[in-house]
Amino acid sequence: MTGPEARAELLAFTDTPGDWKPSEKAAPPSDVLEQAREKLADVKPVTHRAFQELQFRLKPLREDDKAARDLNRRGLWQAIGFQAFNLEGDLAFLIRGPQGRVYNVKRRRIPPGKRSKYQVIFPGLGAPAWCSPGYGQAARVLLIEGELNGVAAYHAACMVQQSLDVQGLAGADTWPFLEGLNREVWIYADGDSSGEAMRARLQDLSFRAGASRVRQLPSLPEGDYCDLLGKHGPGALWDAMTTRPERPETHWWPAEHDSRFAARQYPMLGPPTSDPDWPLQRPKRE
């Protein structure tokens, strides 16, 4: 039985009075901007009292802590804008929103073992993205898969004295904050099927939110931004982010692209454009 069918059966079996009837579940909105707003309605900041209670458990990280050594291997030890702590031997870091408020605290188990690698300390507050300090001041914003990848990108930008805002998303199926998307948007995701779906969704969302330009950053052939930062430093990571790859020989866009692009015209901003040197590509259907 479905849930509504089971409930109706139990009400009848127990002779429970009432005229409850199962209702049809509303279809999800088709517009990507409405989808984002619906999901972001579930994102709430941590209350001041709850965060104060947690602070007693957060200890400063020391260089010889396992969590600190793990960060050092990724090039993230004392990374700019990254607020990390020792939580009972594990890594804990703050997830701040566009205005600097704490939206959650994430725990990374060291080592992961059989348990889940990541855990949010305050469940039920949605899946907020990690926003870089001073968010909203740069001319461009990077939307990237993974909070620690976001930290790595922001740290690299700061170290080479470049201005960049970053939102590190918790996963390929989560949503960024809509604040600050009305400018040039960069998008990075892994090179797998979920990453490609994330690229397509965030490109559509960025244009709907008023982006003047969207640039797709190519996926690394191996590893992620943390690996590259840890092995070769911030300069190499920034070069990988900003070097334009050769234009692919063939391009294929879904048939609905032309109609969607026509709907993305903004009279005040002019027609938005995607990056011609690295257009979003989706695999052909057999």
Side-chain angles (χ1 to χ4, degrees), residues 47-84:
T47 64
H48 181 69
R49 179 177 179 178
F51 185 66
Q52 276 192 320
E53 293 175 352
L54 175 67
Q55 283 183 301
F56 292 105
R57 299 167 57 196
L58 298 177
K59 307 300 180 184
L61 272 180
R62 300 175 301 180
E63 282 191 78
D64 58 344
D65 289 341
K66 289 182 179 179
R69 293 199 299 269
D70 186 67
L71 288 177
N72 189 51
R73 182 173 61 84
R74 289 173 165 79
L76 296 177
W77 172 241
Q78 297 182 338
I80 298 173
F82 188 46
Q83 294 178 284

Side-chain angles (χ1 to χ4, degrees), residues 27-271:
S30 58
D31 180 75
V32 68
L33 185 58
E34 291 303 316
Q35 291 178 43
R37 288 171 174 162
E38 184 178 89
K39 292 294 184 181
L40 291 170
D42 296 330
V43 176
K44 304 289 193 301
V46 179
T47 64
H48 181 69
R49 179 177 179 178
F51 185 66
Q52 276 192 320
E53 293 175 352
L54 175 67
Q55 283 183 301
F56 292 105
R57 299 167 57 196
L58 298 177
K59 307 300 180 184
L61 272 180
R62 300 175 301 180
E63 282 191 78
D64 58 344
D65 289 341
K66 289 182 179 179
R69 293 199 299 269
D70 186 67
L71 288 177
N72 189 51
R73 182 173 61 84
R74 289 173 165 79
L76 296 177
W77 172 241
Q78 297 182 338
I80 298 173
F82 188 46
Q83 294 178 284
F85 303 89
N86 183 324
L87 177 59
E88 300 165 359
D90 295 331
L91 171 68
F93 55 94
L94 306 189
I95 305 293
R96 293 189 181 272
Q99 306 301 323
R101 291 193 64 179
V102 176
Y103 274 77
N104 219 312
V105 178
K106 204 154 190 179
R107 180 176 190 165
R108 187 175 192 276
R109 300 190 181 278
I110 309 293
K114 295 182 179 180
R115 299 173 296 177
S116 175
K117 181 187 296 185
Y118 288 102
Q119 172 195 15
V120 291
I121 301 302
F122 302 102
L125 300 181
W130 176 89
C131 293
S132 54
Y135 180 87
Q137 301 178 20
R140 54 204 171 191
V141 56
L142 168 65
L143 308 180
I144 184 170
E145 182 179 355
E147 299 98 328
L148 296 186
N149 276 336
V151 174
Y154 180 73
H155 178 70
C158 292
M159 293 299 290
V160 298
Q161 299 181 349
Q162 295 291 328
S163 178
L164 179 69
D165 284 338
V166 178
Q167 288 199 48
L169 278 66
D173 59 346
T174 58
W175 298 82
F177 291 99
L178 298 178
E179 291 90 336
L181 299 188
N182 57 340
R183 46 183 163 162
E184 181 173 334
V185 177
W186 293 4
I187 299 173
Y188 178 88
D190 293 338
D192 52 19
S193 59
S194 60
E196 290 301 315
M198 173 181 169
R199 288 178 182 274
R201 176 170 53 88
L202 293 189
Q203 174 161 296
D204 285 345
L205 176 64
S206 298
F207 280 132
R208 287 285 289 113
S212 57
R213 179 180 174 86
V214 173
R215 180 180 177 188
Q216 295 283 350
L217 306 188
S219 301
L220 298 180
E222 294 182 1
D224 54 23
Y225 277 15
C226 296
D227 297 320
L228 182 55
L229 178 66
K231 293 178 180 177
H232 302 290
L237 176 53
W238 183 255
D239 288 343
M241 294 168 59
T242 55
T243 299
R244 294 178 179 271
E246 295 183 4
R247 182 178 299 186
E249 294 182 0
T250 58
H251 311 289
W252 183 83
W253 290 81
E256 67 270 18
H257 172 260
D258 291 338
S259 61
R260 287 188 178 183
F261 184 81
R264 294 171 180 159
Q265 308 308 306
Y266 291 84
M268 299 299 293
L269 299 175

Side-chain angles (χ1 to χ4, degrees), residues 1-12 20:
M1 293 184 185
T2 64
E5 290 172 343
R7 181 172 178 177
E9 183 72 15
L10 288 171
L11 289 174
W20 179 87

